[in-house]
């Protein structure tokens, strides 16, 4: 924000006789903030509704506002809001992903780590290939203008990008923890794959792909994955170390919260600086911060960070959906398409079908492979669950739109027919998949998994609980406890047990290492003296 | 943020081979966030220091970084960070002022309301006139280029603007509540006066000022003051009403916090939309929200909002000081001045002297007037306190820089010699007044008011307290209690008592009205059932 806006050096809107453009941007800002408030209130009123969720509400409000603006300006105004990739990737996405890492159930995530990486890496490649191949075959028969092999591969990458933001809204961490961690985790890994894919498509010579390039591609992916993860972990540990060492004995809630927030953001932009995947970095930074840093701060800071990060993430999500909804009606993009609406509808439908096909082509085979490695029946992914994984990952969101803009506006999206069609089709696919698939996810889960708790709230991870413990200890804390008691049950009695539950064994060794080396240095639950001056001072003995 | 950035439509820095400028802006962002972290850590380490405070630390770190950048780029780089009025007025200032209203001791503020308005309105006019007159007389003798009457009046307005952000840092609400409320309240009213002054200077024909224009000016000021205040109050009450009505029975911390945050910001930009004083509006919105809305939300939301708003304000303050420090070394501005360093130093010294004179010319007479109206000796402003009020309001900050840019860059500050000199002089005055006067404020207060508690922390309004009550109930809550007990002591026994303590009587009638009409509708302490699901559920009976 600082740097970009600082470069504008525009006039002071407040003290000057405003120029028309300055004042209209204040009007837009007012409208936008008011709409965000409206989304929150309407989302709250629709909380009990079995179909709606907050993202769909925001998207629909955005579209309606776009229609109203179009009508008022008589079809002229198309630039009240234009989608900006910078805004999205630099300011809106990091808080959402950080909060996801901060509140994720860590044990569930790491137990399924291999499956998640398989889904995210191999799955995305499969999906991308199928979509790219399908598009190449079918689009050539349609009259949509000139596109080269790079464009087709880019289409594959664009429509292989699962929308992790939307997943957070439709799946519930408390009700379907396995599905949540699989689909959401896949979305995070998916991003790293997308980065490599995109870089590959734009930098490698794609006319002849040989084994050397494929190897280079693999190496690039692993480098990106590990470097991003390590950067996030190191930043998180650094924040824990600084707060533990410096603040001991004289804590200040505001400094602690500010430091956590700034260091989390620093991890993201450091990743951008080194051309890594900021999303992976900030996700792991969130995990490490919730495991170490969060336990080193005062009780007030814990309550504040838990809710402030969730709120920030919530507002950013609403912002994105409202933004995409309003941007969808940008008239200039549709002008090119209006003379051949049939083609546009055809392209969108084909892409949507390819997305569904591409996802089916890896969810079911990879789930089968994952089930093969698991002896315990309860840990296997049932067919019903596979269907939900397939379905919940079908939604495409702001990431797809950002990628589409990146690929198809380089030569001007309003000038080339093919580019205009691809942009409008992307928007159509995003709108349809988010609204239609999003609306049907909750009923589908209730249909396929009737034994899961009834969905009373789409955002119950964020909502209040009446048990004080669940407020004080974030969700991950419960895992650690469940895990500690789990040791008693799952302690491997023989070598065979050890082999059948490898992840649990790995986890147990990690716990030992964590308790012996990590927590004494970086702090963490039970390794930091209780800090007074907190609202829960009285009942700390109960849960500490 | 949305609108401005959205218009840029720049390339995606993350997925592209970055262009040089994109990557350098990521580098700047990294540097800036890392410096903010450094400021927090260093500020914490210097907390016990009797001279330093966080703003001076940030300012000095900013200047040092500027020097390093200049050395590395061998005197070329001047645009790592350029001061942007938009960034300052639209994004950084609102959270600071809102938090000030949210955490201000309301009783202290309203008891001194008349004095505060006198200081803010009449004082600013006096100060502006003296500075403008002095500058006109002295600058004509110096060779600094062509300036018209509008420029001189603008100089008056620029240097009459007290820096309320800096006041928050050097004065302590708990130790010197009267001084804090007077100087800070003055700074807020000061803004409204600055807006009117600036508009008047730029729109009225200043060659012949008659009584009609003076009346128009007065009318304009009162309209601005009341309209801004009412807008803030109405928005605050609306937020209280919405949360009380809609959220009853099924509270969600994140929605509540998001709604409070967005509605506070909405009040600010609504004021901008109607050409009112956003600072006044958001300040009163903060006061109303802390009085009504804050009591309608869950306990978690209370802890979160109290600390999240304080943290946001803290980070914004650091940001501003770091920003001003780094901007001070923008080489282009200094190029014009370098051939005549004597003139620049002379201009800065003259301006600094005029600022001191202008402030002395209203602080002491107005304090005398204010003391005349008060019979109670303890309520009078002592001479020592007057000196501190004079001294603490001498600091000039980002507001002055923003105004100077607004006035002196319209015809290009690098082209006109007079404009370049005025910009560099403003920066010099801001740096010198903030660092030198800021450094000496704490020792001065200890010298003049030795009976006040020792200053252990400059940010103790933000820091933890060991009493749970002061964490649960924000500072204003304590006032209400002190006030309730105060009724017993000060209950007017006769008409004479009633006349000698008019503000207390007004306050008592307000309390009655508040309890009878306002709180039943908008909620507030004791008028909303306790909301479960909060960490302090157990000890609520103690303080509710």
């Amino acid at each position: 924000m600082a740097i970009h806006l600082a470069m504008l050096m525009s006039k002071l809107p407040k003290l000057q006789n405003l120029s028309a453009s300055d004042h209209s941007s204040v009007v837009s800002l007012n409208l936008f903030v008011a709409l965000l408030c409206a989304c929150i209130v309407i989302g709250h009123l629709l909380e009990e509704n079995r179909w709606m969720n907050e993202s769909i509400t925001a998207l629909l409000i955005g579209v309606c506002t776009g229609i109203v603006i179009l009508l008022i300006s008589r079809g002229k105004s198309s630039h009240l809001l234009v989608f900006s990739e910078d805004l999205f990737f630099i300011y809106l996405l990091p808080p959402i992903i950080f909060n996801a890492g901060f509140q994720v159930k860590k044990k569930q995530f790491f137990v399924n780590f291999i499956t998640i990486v398989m889904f995210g890496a191999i799955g995305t490649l499969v999906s991308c290939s199928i979509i790219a191949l399908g598009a190449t075959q079918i689009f050539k028969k349609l009259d949509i203008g000139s596109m080269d092999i790079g464009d087709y591969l880019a289409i594959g990458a664009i429509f292989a990008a699962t929308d992790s933001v939307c997943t957070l809204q439709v799946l519930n961490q408390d009700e379907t923890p396995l599905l949540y961690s699989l689909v959401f985790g896949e979305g995070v890994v998916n991003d790293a794959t997308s980065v490599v894919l995109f870089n590959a498509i734009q930098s490698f010579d794609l006319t002849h792909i040989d084994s050397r390039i494929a190897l280079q591609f693999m190496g690039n992916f692993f480098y990106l994955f590990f470097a991003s993860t390590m950067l996030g972990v190191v930043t998180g540990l650094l924040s824990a170390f600084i707060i533990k060492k410096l603040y001991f004995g004289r804590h200040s809630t505001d400094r602690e919260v500010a430091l956590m927030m700034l260091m989390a953001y620093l991890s993201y932009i450091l990743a951008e600086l080194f051309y890594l995947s900021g999303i992976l970095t900030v996700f792991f930074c969130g995990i490490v911060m919730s495991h170490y840093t969060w336990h080193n701060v005062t009780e007030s800071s814990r309550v504040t960070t838990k809710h402030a990060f969730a709120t920030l993430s919530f507002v950013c999500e609403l912002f994105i959906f409202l933004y995409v909804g309003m941007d969808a009606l940008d008239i200039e993009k549709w002008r090119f398409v209006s003379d051949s609406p049939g083609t546009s509808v055809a392209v969108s439908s084909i892409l949507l079908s390819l997305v569904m096909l591409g996802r089916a082509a890896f969810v079911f085979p990879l789930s089968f492979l994952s089930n093969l490695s698991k002896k315990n029946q309860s840990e296997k992914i049932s067919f019903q669950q596979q269907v939900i994984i397939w379905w919940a990952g079908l939604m495409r969101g702001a990431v797809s739109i950002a990628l589409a803009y990146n690929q198809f506006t380089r030569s001007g999206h309003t000038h080339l027919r093919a580019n205009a069609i691809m942009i409008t089709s992307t928007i159509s696919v995003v709108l349809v998949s988010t609204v239609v698939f999003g609306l049907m996810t909750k009923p589908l889960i209730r249909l396929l998994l009737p034994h899961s708790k009834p969905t009373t709230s789409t955002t119950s991870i964020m909502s209040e609980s009446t048990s004080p413990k669940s407020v004080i200890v974030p969700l991950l804390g419960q895992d650690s406890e469940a895990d500690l008691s789990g040791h008693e049950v799952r302690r491997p009695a023989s070598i065979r047990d050890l082999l059948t539950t490898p992840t649990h064994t790995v986890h147990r060794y990690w716990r030992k290492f964590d308790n012996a080396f990590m927590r004494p240095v970086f702090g963490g639950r039970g390794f930091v003296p209780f800090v007074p001056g907190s609202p829960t001072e009285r009942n700390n003995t109960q849960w500490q």
Side-chain angles (χ1 to χ4, degrees), chain A residues 499-521:
Chain A
L499 287 173
T500 51
T501 56
T503 47
H504 293 286
T505 317
V506 167
H507 189 247
R508 206 158 57 90
Y509 282 117
W510 157 249
R511 295 284 296 183
K512 276 191 178 169
F513 173 73
D514 195 26
N515 287 330
F517 298 102
M518 299 296 277
R519 291 193 184 189
V521 178

Side-chain angles (χ1 to χ4, degrees), chain A residues 166-214:
Chain A
C166 212
T167 312
L168 291 171
Q169 290 262 328
V170 295
L171 288 180
N172 191 305
Q173 183 165 238
D174 293 320
E175 290 160 21
T176 49
L178 175 70
L179 293 178
Y180 178 91
S181 68
L182 282 180
V183 179
F184 177 70
E186 180 212 319
V188 172
V189 178
N190 189 300
D191 173 70
T193 320
S194 304
V195 175
V196 184
L197 273 174
F198 232 79
N199 280 335
I201 289 162
Q202 298 189 332
S203 57
F204 288 102
D205 182 7
L206 294 161
T207 43
H208 43 276
I209 297 164
D210 58 16
S211 59
R212 199 182 54 82
I213 288 179

Side-chain angles (χ1 to χ4, degrees), chain A residues 69-80:
Chain A
I69 292 165
L70 267 185
L71 290 178
I72 289 171
S73 67
R74 286 172 195 164
K76 274 180 210 162
S77 169
S78 58
H79 279 281
L80 176 75

Side-chain angles (χ1 to χ4, degrees), chain A residues 32 124 229 308 410 464 515 532 535:
Chain A
F32 207 85
T124 309
T229 307
R410 281 182 296 172
E464 284 307 306
N515 287 330

Side-chain angles (χ1 to χ4, degrees), chain A residues 374-501:
Chain A
K374 282 176 182 161
K375 292 280 181 294
N376 194 330
Q377 191 61 36
S378 68
E379 284 180 354
K380 290 191 177 180
I381 308 167
S382 70
F383 182 71
Q384 284 92 334
Q385 287 176 322
Q386 292 176 24
V387 172
I388 292 171
I389 291 173
W390 169 71
W391 185 264
L394 284 178
M395 278 161 279
R396 297 295 174 266
V399 175
S400 296
I401 291 186
L403 293 178
Y405 270 104
N406 186 256
Q407 175 72 17
F408 294 110
T409 56
R410 281 182 296 172
S411 42
H413 68 94
T414 52
H415 303 299
L416 272 172
R417 185 180 147 78
N419 287 359
I421 287 179
M422 285 320 302
I423 297 262
T424 51
S425 302
T426 309
I427 292 171
S428 308
V429 169
V430 167
L431 283 182
V432 170
S433 68
T434 307
V435 174
V436 177
F437 297 169
L439 277 177
M440 290 167 70
T441 306
K442 271 200 270 181
L444 187 78
I445 292 173
R446 222 165 309 162
L447 184 76
L448 291 176
L449 301 172
H451 52 281
S452 77
K453 278 178 284 172
T455 314
T456 50
S457 157
T458 51
T459 53
S460 71
I461 27 164
M462 296 170 176
S463 68
E464 284 307 306
S465 154
T466 43
S467 134
K469 204 178 78 180
S470 72
V471 172
I472 298 157
V473 188
L475 300 161
L476 42 115
Q478 295 173 344
D479 288 317
S480 314
E481 280 177 336
D483 165 69
L484 282 167
S485 57
H487 279 183
E488 308 307 318
V489 182
R490 289 208 184 107
R491 188 182 295 270
S494 66
I495 295 291
R496 193 182 146 269
D497 273 358
L498 197 141
L499 287 173
T500 51
T501 56

Side-chain angles (χ1 to χ4, degrees), chain A residues 170-443:
Chain A
V170 295
L171 288 180
N172 191 305
Q173 183 165 238
D174 293 320
E175 290 160 21
T176 49
L178 175 70
L179 293 178
Y180 178 91
S181 68
L182 282 180
V183 179
F184 177 70
E186 180 212 319
V188 172
V189 178
N190 189 300
D191 173 70
T193 320
S194 304
V195 175
V196 184
L197 273 174
F198 232 79
N199 280 335
I201 289 162
Q202 298 189 332
S203 57
F204 288 102
D205 182 7
L206 294 161
T207 43
H208 43 276
I209 297 164
D210 58 16
S211 59
R212 199 182 54 82
I213 288 179
L215 265 177
Q216 205 174 341
F217 188 88
M218 288 293 287
N220 205 341
F221 175 76
F222 282 111
Y223 159 74
L224 205 74
F225 188 87
F226 285 108
S228 303
T229 307
M230 282 317 294
L231 183 63
V233 169
V234 167
T235 320
L237 288 178
L238 189 68
S239 78
F241 190 75
I242 289 175
I243 288 179
K244 182 163 180 274
K245 284 291 162 195
L246 290 182
Y247 284 65
F248 182 72
R250 42 184 184 128
H251 287 261
S252 150
T253 291
D254 303 290
R255 286 214 191 86
E256 286 170 350
V257 176
L259 205 59
M260 282 175 79
M261 226 180 253
L262 288 171
M263 288 200 70
Y265 190 62
L266 189 63
S267 79
Y268 185 84
I269 51 174
L270 273 176
E272 299 286 298
L273 186 69
F274 299 131
Y275 303 97
L276 300 173
S277 164
I279 291 184
L280 264 179
T281 304
V282 81
F283 180 75
F284 279 98
C285 184
I287 287 182
V288 171
M289 278 201 178
S290 74
H291 192 66
Y292 297 109
T293 321
W294 194 77
H295 293 278
N296 299 349
V297 298
T298 60
E299 192 52 37
S300 305
S301 300
R302 289 181 210 187
V303 177
T304 305
T305 49
K306 178 174 186 292
H307 291 293
F309 293 156
T311 305
L312 207 60
S313 160
F314 172 65
V315 172
C316 287
E317 282 173 30
L318 280 187
F319 195 113
I320 289 175
F321 285 106
L322 197 54
Y323 199 47
V324 169
M326 290 176 94
D327 182 60
L329 285 164
D330 180 17
I331 197 81
E332 268 185 37
K333 291 193 290 277
W334 295 97
R335 203 159 284 160
F336 263 83
V337 189
S338 56
D339 52 328
S340 55
T343 313
S344 185
V345 170
V347 169
S348 307
S349 318
I350 290 163
L351 284 172
L352 212 53
S353 317
L354 285 172
V355 163
M356 295 173 86
L357 187 70
R359 191 163 174 84
F362 76 85
V363 166
F364 298 106
L366 288 181
S367 300
F368 178 75
L369 279 178
S370 167
N371 284 346
L372 278 187
S373 71
K374 282 176 182 161
K375 292 280 181 294
N376 194 330
Q377 191 61 36
S378 68
E379 284 180 354
K380 290 191 177 180
I381 308 167
S382 70
F383 182 71
Q384 284 92 334
Q385 287 176 322
Q386 292 176 24
V387 172
I388 292 171
I389 291 173
W390 169 71
W391 185 264
L394 284 178
M395 278 161 279
R396 297 295 174 266
V399 175
S400 296
I401 291 186
L403 293 178
Y405 270 104
N406 186 256
Q407 175 72 17
F408 294 110
T409 56
R410 281 182 296 172
S411 42
H413 68 94
T414 52
H415 303 299
L416 272 172
R417 185 180 147 78
N419 287 359
I421 287 179
M422 285 320 302
I423 297 262
T424 51
S425 302
T426 309
I427 292 171
S428 308
V429 169
V430 167
L431 283 182
V432 170
S433 68
T434 307
V435 174
V436 177
F437 297 169
L439 277 177
M440 290 167 70
T441 306
K442 271 200 270 181

